[in-house]
Amino acid sequence: MNMFGFQNEILSYLEEYFLDFLNEHQNDLETAECLISEFLETALEEKKINLKYRTSDGLWLGMTYKEDLDEVKEKIKYLKEKGEYPTHLW
C-alpha cells in the first residue's frame, strides 16, 4: 500500500494528466481508472517531479471494494486483540 503527501506544485501536473486521461477515455469512462501511481511514473519519467519515500514495517489495511470490508474488520479485530490497536478506535 502507498500513502502520498504532495506539495501544491504537483497539482498543475496532476490536472494536466487527468484532463489527458479524460480525453483518452471518452468512450470508457465508466470503467477506466486514472491511477495516481501511473501519473507518478509518467511525471518521474518526464522529470517533472522528484519523490522521497519512507518504508514501514507496520500492517497496512486497504479497502477498495465493499467485498474487502469483512477482511478488514477481521484484521482490525486481530490487531485489537494483540493490543496493537486500542479497543475503542472510534
Side-chain angles (χ1 to χ4, degrees):
M1 173 181 276
N2 298 310
M3 184 172 91
F4 297 101
F6 298 116
Q7 295 179 340
N8 289 342
E9 293 80 22
I10 202 169
L11 295 177
S12 61
Y13 299 130
L14 186 55
E15 180 179 21
E16 177 185 332
Y17 182 83
F18 185 61
L19 292 173
D20 288 345
F21 170 85
L22 291 175
N23 286 330
E24 290 176 24
H25 293 279
Q26 292 180 26
N27 298 325
D28 63 343
L29 284 176
E30 290 185 18
T31 56
E33 292 185 75
C34 185
L35 304 174
I36 289 179
S37 58
E38 291 178 5
F39 158 71
L40 293 174
E41 183 177 353
T42 300
L44 282 169
E45 288 172 357
E46 294 175 359
K47 298 190 182 340
K48 291 182 176 180
I49 63 168
N50 293 310
L51 287 180
K52 295 179 184 178
Y53 67 92
R54 295 186 181 201
T55 60
S56 170
D57 294 329
L59 175 64
W60 288 77
L61 307 175
M63 192 169 91
T64 304
Y65 305 103
K66 63 181 178 181
E67 293 81 12
D68 300 332
L69 181 59
D70 290 336
E71 181 180 348
V72 170
K73 283 182 176 180
E74 284 300 313
K75 287 181 180 176
I76 290 174
K77 180 182 173 190
Y78 171 75
L79 291 169
K80 285 179 176 182
E81 290 169 355
K82 282 183 60 179
E84 293 186 30
Y85 276 19
T87 304
H88 300 289
L89 288 172
W90 43 82

Coordinates of all heavy atoms in Angstrom, one line a residue:
M1 N 0.8 -1.2 0.0 CA 0.0 0.0 0.0 C 0.9 1.2 0.0 O 1.9 1.2 0.6 CB -0.9 0.0 1.2 CG -1.7 1.3 1.4 SD -2.7 1.3 2.8 CE -4.1 0.5 2.2
N2 N 0.4 2.3 -0.7 CA 1.1 3.5 -0.7 C 0.3 4.6 0.0 O -0.9 4.6 -0.1 CB 1.4 3.9 -2.2 CG 2.3 2.9 -2.9 OD1 3.3 2.6 -2.4 ND2 1.9 2.5 -4.0
M3 N 1.0 5.5 0.6 CA 0.4 6.7 1.1 C 1.2 7.9 0.6 O 2.4 7.9 0.8 CB 0.3 6.7 2.6 CG -0.5 7.9 3.2 SD -0.7 7.7 4.9 CE 0.7 8.5 5.6
F4 N 0.6 8.9 0.0 CA 1.3 10.0 -0.5 C 1.0 11.3 0.1 O -0.2 11.5 0.6 CB 1.0 10.2 -2.0 CG 1.4 9.0 -2.9 CD1 0.5 8.0 -3.3 CD2 2.7 8.8 -3.2 CE1 0.8 6.9 -4.0 CE2 3.1 7.7 -4.0 CZ 2.2 6.8 -4.4
G5 N 2.0 12.2 0.2 CA 1.8 13.6 0.6 C 2.4 14.4 -0.4 O 3.6 14.2 -0.8
F6 N 1.7 15.4 -1.0 CA 2.2 16.2 -2.1 C 2.3 17.6 -1.7 O 1.5 18.1 -0.9 CB 1.2 16.0 -3.3 CG 1.1 14.6 -3.8 CD1 -0.1 14.0 -3.8 CD2 2.2 14.0 -4.4 CE1 -0.2 12.7 -4.3 CE2 2.1 12.7 -4.9 CZ 0.9 12.1 -4.9
Q7 N 3.2 18.3 -2.4 CA 3.2 19.8 -2.3 C 2.3 20.4 -3.3 O 2.0 19.7 -4.3 CB 4.6 20.3 -2.5 CG 5.6 19.8 -1.4 CD 7.0 20.3 -1.6 OE1 7.4 20.6 -2.7 NE2 7.8 20.3 -0.5
N8 N 1.8 21.6 -3.1 CA 0.9 22.2 -4.0 C 1.3 22.2 -5.5 O 0.5 22.2 -6.4 CB 0.6 23.6 -3.6 CG -0.3 23.7 -2.3 OD1 -0.9 22.7 -1.9 ND2 -0.2 24.8 -1.7
E9 N 2.6 22.3 -5.7 CA 3.1 22.4 -7.1 C 2.7 21.3 -8.0 O 2.7 21.4 -9.2 CB 4.7 22.6 -7.1 CG 5.1 23.9 -6.5 CD 5.2 23.8 -4.9 OE1 5.2 22.7 -4.3 OE2 5.1 24.9 -4.3
I10 N 2.5 20.1 -7.4 CA 2.2 18.9 -8.2 C 0.8 19.0 -8.8 O 0.5 18.3 -9.8 CB 2.3 17.7 -7.4 CG1 2.5 16.5 -8.3 CG2 1.1 17.4 -6.4 CD1 3.0 15.2 -7.6
L11 N -0.1 19.9 -8.3 CA -1.5 19.9 -8.7 C -1.7 20.3 -10.1 O -2.5 19.8 -10.8 CB -2.3 20.8 -7.8 CG -2.4 20.3 -6.3 CD1 -3.2 21.3 -5.5 CD2 -3.0 18.9 -6.2
S12 N -0.8 21.2 -10.6 CA -1.0 21.6 -12.1 C -0.6 20.4 -13.0 O -1.2 20.2 -14.0 CB -0.1 22.8 -12.4 OG 1.3 22.5 -12.1
Y13 N 0.4 19.6 -12.6 CA 0.8 18.4 -13.4 C -0.3 17.4 -13.3 O -0.6 16.8 -14.3 CB 2.1 17.8 -12.9 CG 3.3 18.7 -13.0 CD1 4.1 18.9 -11.9 CD2 3.6 19.4 -14.1 CE1 5.2 19.7 -11.9 CE2 4.7 20.2 -14.2 CZ 5.5 20.4 -13.1 OH 6.6 21.2 -13.2
L14 N -0.9 17.2 -12.1 CA -1.9 16.3 -12.0 C -3.2 16.6 -12.8 O -3.8 15.8 -13.4 CB -2.3 16.1 -10.5 CG -3.3 15.0 -10.1 CD1 -2.8 13.7 -10.6 CD2 -3.4 15.0 -8.6
E15 N -3.5 17.9 -12.8 CA -4.7 18.4 -13.5 C -4.4 18.1 -15.0 O -5.3 17.6 -15.7 CB -4.9 19.9 -13.3 CG -6.1 20.4 -14.1 CD -6.3 21.9 -13.8 OE1 -5.4 22.6 -13.4 OE2 -7.5 22.3 -14.1
E16 N -3.3 18.4 -15.5 CA -2.9 18.2 -16.9 C -3.1 16.7 -17.3 O -3.6 16.3 -18.3 CB -1.5 18.7 -17.2 CG -1.0 18.4 -18.6 CD 0.4 18.8 -18.8 OE1 0.9 19.7 -18.0 OE2 1.1 18.2 -19.6
Y17 N -2.5 15.9 -16.4 CA -2.6 14.4 -16.6 C -4.0 13.9 -16.6 O -4.4 13.1 -17.4 CB -1.8 13.7 -15.5 CG -1.7 12.2 -15.6 CD1 -0.8 11.6 -16.4 CD2 -2.6 11.4 -14.9 CE1 -0.7 10.2 -16.5 CE2 -2.5 10.0 -15.0 CZ -1.6 9.4 -15.8 OH -1.5 8.1 -15.9
F18 N -4.8 14.4 -15.7 CA -6.2 14.0 -15.6 C -7.0 14.4 -16.8 O -7.8 13.7 -17.3 CB -6.9 14.5 -14.3 CG -8.3 14.0 -14.1 CD1 -8.5 12.6 -13.9 CD2 -9.3 14.9 -14.0 CE1 -9.8 12.2 -13.7 CE2 -10.6 14.4 -13.8 CZ -10.8 13.1 -13.6
L19 N -6.8 15.6 -17.3 CA -7.5 16.1 -18.5 C -7.1 15.2 -19.7 O -8.0 14.9 -20.5 CB -7.2 17.6 -18.7 CG -7.9 18.5 -17.7 CD1 -7.4 19.9 -17.9 CD2 -9.4 18.4 -17.7
D20 N -5.9 14.9 -19.8 CA -5.4 14.0 -20.9 C -6.1 12.6 -20.8 O -6.6 12.0 -21.7 CB -3.9 13.8 -20.9 CG -3.2 15.0 -21.3 OD1 -3.8 15.9 -21.9 OD2 -1.9 15.1 -21.1
F21 N -6.2 12.1 -19.5 CA -6.9 10.9 -19.3 C -8.3 10.9 -19.7 O -8.8 10.0 -20.4 CB -6.8 10.5 -17.8 CG -7.6 9.4 -17.4 CD1 -7.2 8.1 -17.5 CD2 -8.9 9.6 -16.8 CE1 -8.0 7.0 -17.1 CE2 -9.7 8.5 -16.5 CZ -9.2 7.2 -16.6
L22 N -9.0 12.0 -19.3 CA -10.4 12.1 -19.7 C -10.6 12.1 -21.3 O -11.5 11.5 -21.8 CB -11.0 13.4 -19.1 CG -11.2 13.4 -17.6 CD1 -11.7 14.8 -17.2 CD2 -12.2 12.3 -17.2
N23 N -9.7 12.8 -21.9 CA -9.8 12.9 -23.4 C -9.5 11.5 -24.0 O -10.2 11.1 -25.0 CB -8.8 13.9 -23.9 CG -9.2 15.3 -23.7 OD1 -10.4 15.6 -23.7 ND2 -8.3 16.2 -23.6
E24 N -8.6 10.8 -23.5 CA -8.2 9.5 -24.0 C -9.3 8.4 -23.7 O -9.4 7.4 -24.4 CB -6.9 9.0 -23.4 CG -5.7 9.8 -23.9 CD -4.4 9.3 -23.2 OE1 -4.3 8.2 -22.8 OE2 -3.5 10.2 -23.2
H25 N -10.1 8.6 -22.7 CA -11.0 7.6 -22.3 C -12.5 8.0 -22.4 O -13.3 7.6 -21.6 CB -10.7 7.2 -20.8 CG -9.4 6.4 -20.7 ND1 -9.3 5.1 -21.0 CD2 -8.2 6.9 -20.3 CE1 -8.0 4.8 -20.8 NE2 -7.4 5.8 -20.4
Q26 N -12.8 8.9 -23.3 CA -14.1 9.4 -23.5 C -15.2 8.3 -23.7 O -16.3 8.4 -23.3 CB -14.2 10.3 -24.7 CG -13.5 11.6 -24.5 CD -13.6 12.5 -25.7 OE1 -14.5 12.5 -26.4 NE2 -12.6 13.4 -25.8
N27 N -14.7 7.2 -24.3 CA -15.7 6.1 -24.6 C -15.8 5.0 -23.5 O -16.6 4.1 -23.6 CB -15.3 5.4 -25.9 CG -15.4 6.4 -27.1 OD1 -16.3 7.2 -27.1 ND2 -14.5 6.3 -28.0
D28 N -14.9 5.1 -22.5 CA -14.9 4.1 -21.5 C -14.8 4.7 -20.1 O -14.2 4.0 -19.2 CB -13.9 3.0 -21.7 CG -12.5 3.5 -21.7 OD1 -12.3 4.7 -21.8 OD2 -11.5 2.7 -21.5
L29 N -15.3 5.8 -19.8 CA -15.1 6.5 -18.5 C -15.8 5.7 -17.4 O -15.3 5.9 -16.2 CB -15.7 7.9 -18.6 CG -14.8 8.9 -19.3 CD1 -15.5 10.3 -19.4 CD2 -13.5 9.1 -18.7
E30 N -16.8 4.9 -17.6 CA -17.4 4.2 -16.6 C -16.5 3.1 -16.0 O -16.7 2.7 -14.8 CB -18.7 3.6 -17.0 CG -19.8 4.6 -17.3 CD -21.1 4.0 -17.6 OE1 -21.3 2.8 -17.3 OE2 -22.0 4.7 -18.1
T31 N -15.5 2.6 -16.8 CA -14.7 1.5 -16.3 C -13.2 1.9 -16.2 O -12.4 1.2 -15.6 CB -14.8 0.3 -17.2 OG1 -14.5 0.7 -18.6 CG2 -16.2 -0.3 -17.2
A32 N -12.8 3.0 -16.9 CA -11.4 3.4 -16.9 C -11.0 3.9 -15.5 O -11.8 4.5 -14.8 CB -11.2 4.5 -17.9
E33 N -9.7 3.7 -15.1 CA -9.2 4.2 -13.9 C -8.0 5.1 -14.1 O -7.1 4.7 -14.8 CB -8.8 3.0 -13.0 CG -9.9 2.1 -12.5 CD -9.4 1.0 -11.6 OE1 -9.1 1.4 -10.4 OE2 -9.3 -0.1 -12.0
C34 N -8.0 6.2 -13.5 CA -6.9 7.1 -13.6 C -6.1 6.9 -12.3 O -6.6 7.3 -11.2 CB -7.4 8.6 -13.7 SG -6.1 9.8 -13.9
L35 N -5.0 6.2 -12.4 CA -4.3 5.8 -11.2 C -3.1 6.8 -10.9 O -2.4 7.2 -11.7 CB -3.7 4.4 -11.4 CG -4.7 3.3 -11.8 CD1 -3.9 2.0 -12.2 CD2 -5.6 3.1 -10.7
I36 N -3.1 7.2 -9.6 CA -2.0 8.1 -9.2 C -0.7 7.5 -9.4 O 0.3 8.2 -9.8 CB -2.2 8.5 -7.7 CG1 -3.4 9.4 -7.6 CG2 -1.0 9.2 -7.1 CD1 -3.8 9.8 -6.2
S37 N -0.5 6.2 -9.2 CA 0.8 5.5 -9.4 C 1.2 5.7 -10.9 O 2.4 5.9 -11.1 CB 0.7 4.0 -9.1 OG -0.3 3.4 -9.8
E38 N 0.3 5.6 -11.8 CA 0.7 5.8 -13.2 C 1.1 7.2 -13.5 O 2.0 7.5 -14.3 CB -0.4 5.3 -14.2 CG -0.6 3.8 -14.2 CD -1.7 3.3 -15.0 OE1 -2.4 4.1 -15.7 OE2 -2.0 2.1 -15.0
F39 N 0.3 8.2 -12.9 CA 0.7 9.6 -13.0 C 2.1 9.8 -12.5 O 2.9 10.5 -13.1 CB -0.3 10.4 -12.2 CG 0.2 11.8 -11.9 CD1 0.4 12.8 -12.9 CD2 0.6 12.1 -10.6 CE1 0.9 14.0 -12.5 CE2 1.1 13.3 -10.2 CZ 1.3 14.3 -11.2
L40 N 2.4 9.3 -11.3 CA 3.7 9.5 -10.7 C 4.8 8.9 -11.6 O 5.9 9.5 -11.8 CB 3.8 8.9 -9.3 CG 2.9 9.5 -8.3 CD1 2.9 8.7 -7.0 CD2 3.3 11.0 -8.1
E41 N 4.6 7.7 -12.2 CA 5.6 7.1 -13.0 C 5.8 8.0 -14.3 O 7.0 8.2 -14.6 CB 5.1 5.7 -13.5 CG 6.1 5.0 -14.4 CD 5.6 3.6 -14.8 OE1 4.6 3.1 -14.2 OE2 6.3 3.0 -15.6
T42 N 4.8 8.5 -14.9 CA 4.9 9.4 -16.0 C 5.6 10.7 -15.7 O 6.5 11.1 -16.4 CB 3.5 9.7 -16.6 OG1 2.9 8.5 -17.0 CG2 3.6 10.6 -17.8
A43 N 5.2 11.3 -14.5 CA 5.8 12.5 -14.1 C 7.3 12.3 -13.8 O 8.2 13.2 -14.1 CB 5.1 13.1 -12.9
L44 N 7.7 11.2 -13.2 CA 9.1 10.9 -12.9 C 9.9 10.7 -14.2 O 11.0 11.3 -14.3 CB 9.2 9.6 -12.1 CG 8.9 9.8 -10.6 CD1 8.8 8.4 -9.9 CD2 10.0 10.6 -9.9
E45 N 9.3 10.0 -15.2 CA 10.0 9.8 -16.4 C 10.2 11.1 -17.2 O 11.2 11.3 -17.8 CB 9.2 8.8 -17.3 CG 9.2 7.4 -16.8 CD 8.2 6.5 -17.6 OE1 7.5 6.9 -18.5 OE2 8.2 5.3 -17.3
E46 N 9.2 12.0 -17.1 CA 9.4 13.3 -17.7 C 10.1 14.3 -16.9 O 10.3 15.5 -17.3 CB 8.0 13.8 -18.0 CG 7.2 13.0 -19.0 CD 5.8 13.4 -19.3 OE1 5.3 14.4 -18.6 OE2 5.1 12.8 -20.1
K47 N 10.7 13.8 -15.8 CA 11.5 14.7 -14.9 C 10.7 15.9 -14.4 O 11.3 17.0 -14.2 CB 12.8 15.0 -15.5 CG 13.6 13.8 -15.8 CD 15.0 14.1 -16.2 CE 15.9 13.0 -16.5 NZ 15.7 11.6 -16.1
K48 N 9.4 15.8 -14.2 CA 8.6 16.9 -13.7 C 8.6 16.9 -12.2 O 8.3 18.0 -11.6 CB 7.2 16.8 -14.2 CG 7.0 17.0 -15.7 CD 5.6 17.0 -16.1 CE 5.4 17.3 -17.6 NZ 4.0 17.2 -18.1
I49 N 8.8 15.8 -11.6 CA 8.8 15.7 -10.1 C 9.9 14.8 -9.6 O 10.6 14.1 -10.3 CB 7.4 15.0 -9.6 CG1 7.3 13.6 -10.1 CG2 6.2 15.8 -10.1 CD1 6.2 12.8 -9.5
N50 N 10.1 15.0 -8.3 CA 11.1 14.1 -7.5 C 10.2 13.5 -6.4 O 9.3 14.1 -5.9 CB 12.2 14.9 -6.9 CG 13.1 15.5 -8.0 OD1 13.6 14.8 -8.8 ND2 13.4 16.8 -7.9
L51 N 10.6 12.3 -6.0 CA 9.9 11.6 -4.9 C 10.9 11.2 -3.8 O 12.0 10.8 -4.1 CB 9.2 10.3 -5.4 CG 8.0 10.4 -6.3 CD1 7.5 9.0 -6.6 CD2 6.9 11.2 -5.6
K52 N 10.4 11.3 -2.6 CA 11.1 10.8 -1.5 C 10.2 9.8 -0.8 O 9.0 10.0 -0.9 CB 11.4 11.9 -0.4 CG 12.3 13.0 -1.0 CD 12.5 14.1 0.1 CE 13.4 15.2 -0.5 NZ 13.6 16.3 0.5
Y53 N 10.7 8.8 -0.3 CA 9.9 7.7 0.3 C 10.4 7.3 1.7 O 11.5 7.4 2.0 CB 9.7 6.6 -0.6 CG 11.0 5.8 -0.8 CD1 11.2 4.7 0.0 CD2 11.9 6.1 -1.8 CE1 12.4 3.9 -0.2 CE2 13.1 5.4 -1.9 CZ 13.3 4.3 -1.1 OH 14.4 3.6 -1.3
R54 N 9.5 6.7 2.4 CA 9.8 6.0 3.7 C 9.1 4.7 3.7 O 8.0 4.5 3.1 CB 9.3 6.9 4.8 CG 10.0 8.2 4.9 CD 9.6 8.9 6.2 NE 10.3 10.2 6.2 CZ 10.5 10.9 7.2 NH1 10.1 10.5 8.4 NH2 11.2 12.0 7.2
T55 N 9.7 3.8 4.3 CA 9.1 2.4 4.4 C 8.5 2.2 5.9 O 8.9 3.0 6.8 CB 10.1 1.3 4.1 OG1 11.2 1.4 5.0 CG2 10.6 1.5 2.7
S56 N 7.7 1.3 6.0 CA 7.1 0.9 7.3 C 7.0 -0.6 7.4 O 6.7 -1.3 6.5 CB 5.7 1.5 7.4 OG 5.0 1.1 8.5
D57 N 7.2 -1.0 8.6 CA 7.1 -2.5 8.9 C 5.7 -2.8 9.4 O 5.3 -3.9 9.6 CB 8.1 -2.9 10.0 CG 9.5 -2.8 9.5 OD1 9.7 -3.0 8.3 OD2 10.4 -2.6 10.3
G58 N 4.9 -1.7 9.6 CA 3.5 -1.9 10.1 C 2.6 -2.6 9.1 O 2.8 -2.5 7.9
L59 N 1.5 -3.1 9.6 CA 0.5 -3.7 8.7 C -0.4 -2.6 8.2 O -1.0 -1.9 9.0 CB -0.3 -4.8 9.5 CG -1.5 -5.4 8.8 CD1 -1.0 -6.2 7.6 CD2 -2.3 -6.3 9.8
W60 N -0.6 -2.5 6.9 CA -1.5 -1.6 6.3 C -2.7 -2.3 5.8 O -2.6 -3.3 5.2 CB -0.8 -0.8 5.2 CG 0.3 0.1 5.6 CD1 1.5 -0.2 6.1 CD2 0.2 1.5 5.7 NE1 2.2 0.9 6.4 CE2 1.4 2.0 6.2 CE3 -0.8 2.4 5.4 CZ2 1.6 3.4 6.4 CZ3 -0.6 3.8 5.6 CH2 0.6 4.2 6.1
L61 N -3.9 -1.7 6.1 CA -5.1 -2.3 5.7 C -5.7 -1.4 4.6 O -5.9 -0.2 4.8 CB -6.1 -2.4 6.8 CG -5.6 -3.1 8.1 CD1 -6.6 -3.0 9.2 CD2 -5.3 -4.6 7.8
G62 N -6.1 -2.0 3.5 CA -6.7 -1.3 2.4 C -8.1 -1.8 2.1 O -8.3 -3.0 2.1
M63 N -9.0 -0.9 1.8 CA -10.3 -1.3 1.4 C -10.7 -0.5 0.1 O -10.9 0.7 0.2 CB -11.3 -1.0 2.5 CG -12.6 -1.7 2.3 SD -13.7 -1.7 3.7 CE -14.6 -0.1 3.3
T64 N -10.7 -1.3 -1.0 CA -11.1 -0.7 -2.2 C -12.5 -1.0 -2.6 O -13.2 -0.1 -3.1 CB -10.1 -1.2 -3.3 OG1 -8.8 -0.9 -3.0 CG2 -10.4 -0.5 -4.7
Y65 N -12.9 -2.2 -2.3 CA -14.3 -2.6 -2.7 C -15.1 -3.0 -1.5 O -14.5 -3.4 -0.5 CB -14.2 -3.8 -3.7 CG -13.3 -3.5 -4.9 CD1 -12.0 -4.0 -5.0 CD2 -13.8 -2.7 -5.9 CE1 -11.3 -3.7 -6.1 CE2 -13.1 -2.4 -7.0 CZ -11.8 -2.9 -7.1 OH -11.0 -2.5 -8.2
K66 N -16.4 -3.0 -1.6 CA -17.2 -3.4 -0.4 C -16.9 -4.8 0.0 O -17.1 -5.2 1.1 CB -18.7 -3.1 -0.7 CG -19.3 -4.0 -1.8 CD -20.7 -3.6 -2.0 CE -21.3 -4.4 -3.2 NZ -22.7 -4.2 -3.5
E67 N -16.5 -5.6 -0.9 CA -16.2 -7.0 -0.6 C -15.0 -7.1 0.3 O -14.7 -8.2 0.9 CB -15.9 -7.8 -1.9 CG -17.1 -8.0 -2.8 CD -17.4 -6.8 -3.7 OE1 -16.6 -5.9 -3.8 OE2 -18.5 -6.7 -4.3
D68 N -14.2 -6.1 0.4 CA -13.0 -6.1 1.3 C -13.3 -5.8 2.8 O -12.5 -6.1 3.6 CB -12.0 -5.0 0.9 CG -11.5 -5.1 -0.6 OD1 -11.5 -6.3 -1.0 OD2 -11.2 -4.1 -1.2
L69 N -14.6 -5.4 3.0 CA -14.9 -5.0 4.4 C -14.8 -6.1 5.4 O -14.2 -5.8 6.5 CB -16.4 -4.5 4.4 CG -16.9 -3.9 5.7 CD1 -16.0 -2.8 6.2 CD2 -18.4 -3.5 5.6
D70 N -15.2 -7.3 5.2 CA -15.1 -8.3 6.2 C -13.7 -8.6 6.5 O -13.4 -8.8 7.7 CB -15.9 -9.6 5.7 CG -17.4 -9.4 5.7 OD1 -17.9 -8.5 6.4 OD2 -18.0 -10.2 5.0
E71 N -12.8 -8.7 5.5 CA -11.4 -9.0 5.8 C -10.8 -7.9 6.6 O -10.0 -8.2 7.5 CB -10.7 -9.1 4.4 CG -9.2 -9.5 4.6 CD -8.5 -9.6 3.3 OE1 -9.1 -9.7 2.2 OE2 -7.2 -9.6 3.3
V72 N -11.1 -6.6 6.3 CA -10.5 -5.5 7.1 C -11.0 -5.6 8.5 O -10.3 -5.4 9.5 CB -10.9 -4.2 6.4 CG1 -10.5 -3.0 7.3 CG2 -10.1 -4.1 5.1
K73 N -12.3 -5.8 8.7 CA -12.9 -5.9 10.0 C -12.1 -7.0 10.8 O -11.8 -6.8 12.0 CB -14.4 -6.3 10.0 CG -15.2 -5.1 9.7 CD -16.7 -5.5 9.7 CE -17.6 -4.4 9.5 NZ -19.0 -4.8 9.5
E74 N -11.9 -8.2 10.2 CA -11.2 -9.3 10.9 C -9.8 -8.9 11.3 O -9.3 -9.2 12.4 CB -11.2 -10.5 10.0 CG -12.5 -11.2 10.0 CD -13.0 -11.7 11.4 OE1 -12.1 -12.3 12.2 OE2 -14.1 -11.5 11.7
K75 N -9.1 -8.2 10.4 CA -7.7 -7.8 10.7 C -7.7 -6.7 11.8 O -6.8 -6.8 12.7 CB -7.0 -7.2 9.4 CG -6.7 -8.3 8.5 CD -6.0 -7.8 7.2 CE -5.7 -8.9 6.3 NZ -5.1 -8.4 5.0
I76 N -8.6 -5.8 11.8 CA -8.7 -4.8 12.9 C -9.0 -5.5 14.2 O -8.4 -5.2 15.3 CB -9.7 -3.7 12.6 CG1 -9.2 -2.8 11.4 CG2 -10.0 -2.9 13.8 CD1 -10.2 -1.8 10.9
K77 N -9.9 -6.5 14.2 CA -10.2 -7.2 15.4 C -9.0 -7.9 15.9 O -8.7 -7.9 17.1 CB -11.3 -8.2 15.1 CG -11.7 -9.1 16.3 CD -12.8 -10.1 15.9 CE -13.1 -11.1 17.0 NZ -13.9 -12.2 16.6
Y78 N -8.2 -8.6 15.0 CA -7.0 -9.2 15.4 C -6.0 -8.3 16.0 O -5.4 -8.6 17.1 CB -6.4 -9.9 14.2 CG -5.0 -10.5 14.4 CD1 -4.8 -11.7 15.1 CD2 -3.9 -9.9 13.9 CE1 -3.6 -12.2 15.3 CE2 -2.6 -10.4 14.1 CZ -2.5 -11.5 14.8 OH -1.2 -12.1 15.0
L79 N -5.8 -7.1 15.4 CA -4.9 -6.1 15.9 C -5.3 -5.6 17.3 O -4.5 -5.3 18.2 CB -4.7 -5.0 14.9 CG -4.0 -5.4 13.7 CD1 -4.1 -4.3 12.6 CD2 -2.5 -5.7 13.9
K80 N -6.6 -5.5 17.5 CA -7.1 -5.0 18.8 C -6.8 -6.1 19.9 O -6.3 -5.8 21.0 CB -8.6 -4.8 18.8 CG -9.0 -3.5 18.1 CD -10.6 -3.5 18.1 CE -11.1 -2.2 17.5 NZ -12.6 -2.2 17.6
E81 N -7.0 -7.4 19.5 CA -6.8 -8.5 20.4 C -5.3 -8.6 20.8 O -4.9 -8.9 21.9 CB -7.3 -9.8 19.8 CG -8.8 -9.9 19.8 CD -9.3 -11.1 18.9 OE1 -8.5 -11.8 18.3 OE2 -10.5 -11.3 18.9
K82 N -4.4 -8.3 19.9 CA -3.0 -8.3 20.1 C -2.5 -7.0 20.9 O -1.4 -7.0 21.3 CB -2.2 -8.3 18.8 CG -2.1 -9.7 18.1 CD -1.3 -9.7 16.9 CE 0.1 -9.3 17.2 NZ 1.0 -9.3 16.0
G83 N -3.4 -6.1 21.0 CA -3.0 -4.9 21.7 C -2.3 -3.8 20.9 O -1.8 -2.8 21.4
E84 N -2.2 -4.1 19.6 CA -1.6 -3.1 18.7 C -2.5 -1.9 18.3 O -2.0 -0.9 17.9 CB -1.1 -3.8 17.4 CG 0.0 -4.8 17.7 CD 0.6 -5.4 16.5 OE1 0.6 -4.7 15.4 OE2 1.1 -6.6 16.5
Y85 N -3.8 -2.1 18.4 CA -4.8 -1.1 18.2 C -5.6 -1.0 19.5 O -5.8 -2.0 20.2 CB -5.8 -1.5 17.1 CG -5.3 -1.2 15.7 CD1 -4.0 -1.0 15.4 CD2 -6.3 -1.1 14.7 CE1 -3.7 -0.7 14.1 CE2 -5.9 -0.9 13.4 CZ -4.6 -0.7 13.1 OH -4.3 -0.4 11.8
P86 N -6.0 0.2 19.9 CA -6.8 0.4 21.1 C -8.2 -0.3 20.9 O -8.6 -0.4 19.7 CB -7.0 1.9 21.2 CG -6.6 2.5 19.9 CD -5.7 1.5 19.2
T87 N -8.8 -0.7 22.0 CA -10.1 -1.4 21.9 C -11.1 -0.5 21.3 O -11.9 -1.0 20.5 CB -10.5 -1.8 23.3 OG1 -9.5 -2.6 23.9 CG2 -11.8 -2.6 23.3
H88 N -11.1 0.8 21.6 CA -12.1 1.7 21.0 C -11.4 2.7 20.1 O -10.8 3.6 20.5 CB -12.8 2.4 22.1 CG -13.6 1.5 23.1 ND1 -14.7 0.9 22.7 CD2 -13.3 1.2 24.4 CE1 -15.1 0.1 23.8 NE2 -14.2 0.3 24.7
L89 N -11.5 2.4 18.8 CA -10.8 3.2 17.8 C -11.7 4.5 17.6 O -11.1 5.6 17.4 CB -10.6 2.5 16.5 CG -9.6 1.4 16.5 CD1 -9.6 0.7 15.2 CD2 -8.2 2.1 16.7
W90 N -13.0 4.3 17.5 CA -13.9 5.5 17.3 C -15.2 5.1 17.9 O -15.5 4.0 18.2 CB -14.0 5.8 15.8 CG -14.1 4.7 14.9 CD1 -15.3 4.0 14.7 CD2 -13.1 4.0 14.2 NE1 -15.0 2.9 13.8 CE2 -13.7 2.9 13.5 CE3 -11.7 4.3 14.1 CZ2 -12.9 2.1 12.7 CZ3 -11.0 3.4 13.3 CH2 -11.6 2.4 12.6

